[in-house]
Amino acid sequence: MRVNTMSSLKKTTGSKEDDAELRRGPWTLEEDTLLVHYIARHGEGRWNLLAKRAGLRRTGKSCRLRWLNYLKPDVKRGNLTPQEQLLILDLHSKWGNRWSKIAQHLPGRTDNEIKNYWRTRVQKQARHLRIDANSTAFQGIIRCLWMPRLLQKIGGSSAPSAMITAQNPAVLSQPILGYAPPLPTFPPPPPPLPQQEAPLDMSVIMHCMEQTSDSEHGTGSCISSAESMNVSQMSQLSEYPTSTFQTIGSNSDYCNLVKDCYYVDSVCYDMESINLATMSVPGELGISAVDRHMGDGDWSGYEFGDNEWNMDELWPFRNLQGKET
DNA sequence: AAAGATCCCAACCGCACGATT
DNA sequence: TAATCGTGCGGTTGGGATCTT
């Protein structure tokens, strides 16, 4: 446990008396033990008093935070599961940065952990694309790209092209951590897509993104933020060719964008056919010509890893991302 | 192998708000 | 009614771990 091996303590910014009295910085194993034993005997609450009586030279706030975020027995450690990630994305689209409220729907996960996840994984992607993480465009990308991918992962498909379909209700009807989405309202999916679908025109996509990101008043997203897309709808997204998908959303350009991205990455996996050198990418996205090269990435062989599951794996533009400067 | 860059997350901070004195 | 206390929340930071060059 990293935090317990660290012995350095930051200096307080308070008075000299405070310096002598209060410890800050990483908790030691001894402090953890004191806190756990005290709470086991006397319970939580009255944190300032608790800190004194337990013999901890910590503020009540610090004790409370340590207990809630780390020591409490039901705190879950480790990577967030795809189900949890999906739930976070969905709930954040509804409630915004209401971390504690979101955390209430993820048993064992703390608001701090969810907040960290959002900042380190989700906002990072928004920064890479020079899109406001709270913009309609980015919300749409999350709903129409990442969430279907998470559903794909949840469905347990080993091959990237395997889809979660309406014919696979065993997957779709399962509530995620007690979160039961509404039933789908989509029409039956069309026949499978032909593999000779026209190559993706990335310049059109980027153009759509630019326009959509400029439209911040509710019409930009293919899925209304007011009425969130349910799990089945998201999964069925993948069943629709672009032409069909156009009819679903309120903004056909944007829906084409997200559909095309998802379609190309998850069905075709033939990024070799995209001539990146000729692409015209709006400057707003800040993707340099160099960064657009796919040389480092091997899209044709790309697969989702089984052990690791993070946003980078879900991100269709990951090989287009420039390094942050 | 080493240095620098980046990632990640535990912990801190300030503020708000309700309860209590 | 005002002051104080306890708690909770969201934003930010520090620094070890990991990755890249």
Side-chain angles (χ1 to χ4, degrees), chain A residues 151-163:
Chain A
L151 281 160
Q152 200 177 347
K153 179 69 177 182
I154 292 166
S157 58
S158 57
S161 60
M163 293 293 134

Side-chain angles (χ1 to χ4, degrees), chain A residues 77 134 139 158 183 189 227 231 258 267 301:
Chain A
R77 319 296 313 172
N134 295 318
Q139 298 268 325
S158 57
L183 290 172
E227 185 174 356
V231 172
V258 295
V267 179

Side-chain angles (χ1 to χ4, degrees), chain A residues 206-227:
Chain A
M206 294 305 179
H207 178 65
C208 291
M209 284 182 67
E210 186 180 42
Q211 293 205 328
T212 309
S213 63
D214 288 339
S215 165
E216 297 293 329
H217 301 292
T219 57
S221 172
C222 64
I223 304 300
S224 164
S225 59
E227 185 174 356

Side-chain angles (χ1 to χ4, degrees), chain A residues 56-113:
Chain A
L56 288 160
R57 296 190 329 219
R58 295 273 181 174
T59 65
K61 286 178 92 169
S62 181
C63 293
R64 173 181 168 272
L65 209 61
R66 182 64 177 172
W67 173 253
L68 292 178
N69 286 347
Y70 201 85
L71 298 174
K72 203 173 179 180
D74 57 4
V75 170
K76 209 187 286 181
R77 319 296 313 172
N79 292 340
L80 292 163
T81 66
Q83 287 93 336
E84 288 171 321
Q85 292 178 41
L86 181 68
L87 199 48
I88 290 169
L89 295 177
D90 188 48
L91 294 180
H92 185 275
S93 72
K94 293 175 186 169
W95 299 329
N97 297 359
R98 302 289 304 278
W99 308 118
S100 61
K101 191 172 181 179
I102 293 170
Q104 288 171 5
H105 291 75
L106 286 99
R109 299 296 185 182
T110 67
D111 56 350
N112 207 34
E113 191 173 9

Side-chain angles (χ1 to χ4, degrees), chain A residues 26-215:
Chain A
W27 280 63
T28 64
L29 185 58
E30 183 185 3
E31 288 176 310
D32 283 345
T33 305
L34 277 174
L35 183 57
V36 167
H37 285 170
Y38 186 89
I39 290 175
R41 292 179 63 183
H42 302 99
E44 305 175 42
R46 304 292 300 271
W47 292 102
N48 284 328
L49 190 63
L50 182 152
K52 286 177 184 169
R53 290 189 173 170
L56 288 160
R57 296 190 329 219
R58 295 273 181 174
T59 65
K61 286 178 92 169
S62 181
C63 293
R64 173 181 168 272
L65 209 61
R66 182 64 177 172
W67 173 253
L68 292 178
N69 286 347
Y70 201 85
L71 298 174
K72 203 173 179 180
D74 57 4
V75 170
K76 209 187 286 181
R77 319 296 313 172
N79 292 340
L80 292 163
T81 66
Q83 287 93 336
E84 288 171 321
Q85 292 178 41
L86 181 68
L87 199 48
I88 290 169
L89 295 177
D90 188 48
L91 294 180
H92 185 275
S93 72
K94 293 175 186 169
W95 299 329
N97 297 359
R98 302 289 304 278
W99 308 118
S100 61
K101 191 172 181 179
I102 293 170
Q104 288 171 5
H105 291 75
L106 286 99
R109 299 296 185 182
T110 67
D111 56 350
N112 207 34
E113 191 173 9
I114 293 167
K115 181 170 56 184
N116 280 333
Y117 167 76
W118 184 266
R119 291 185 61 81
T120 58
R121 310 290 173 78
V122 182
Q123 284 198 334
K124 184 181 77 176
Q125 301 297 351
R127 286 200 306 273
H128 281 158
L129 289 175
R130 304 294 194 275
I131 297 177
D132 179 1
N134 295 318
S135 69
T136 306
F138 194 67
Q139 298 268 325
I141 288 170
I142 287 174
R143 290 204 160 273
C144 302
L145 285 169
W146 287 350
M147 293 170 86
R149 284 162 178 273
L150 283 167
L151 281 160
Q152 200 177 347
K153 179 69 177 182
I154 292 166
S157 58
S158 57
S161 60
M163 293 293 134
I164 299 172
T165 70
Q167 283 77 34
N168 190 6
V171 171
L172 301 178
S173 61
Q174 283 179 351
I176 298 170
L177 293 172
Y179 171 69
L183 290 172
T185 56
F186 278 77
L193 292 163
Q195 287 296 307
Q196 65 272 19
E197 190 80 9
L200 176 67
D201 184 346
M202 289 295 283
S203 64
V204 173
I205 287 175
M206 294 305 179
H207 178 65
C208 291
M209 284 182 67
E210 186 180 42
Q211 293 205 328
T212 309
S213 63
D214 288 339
S215 165

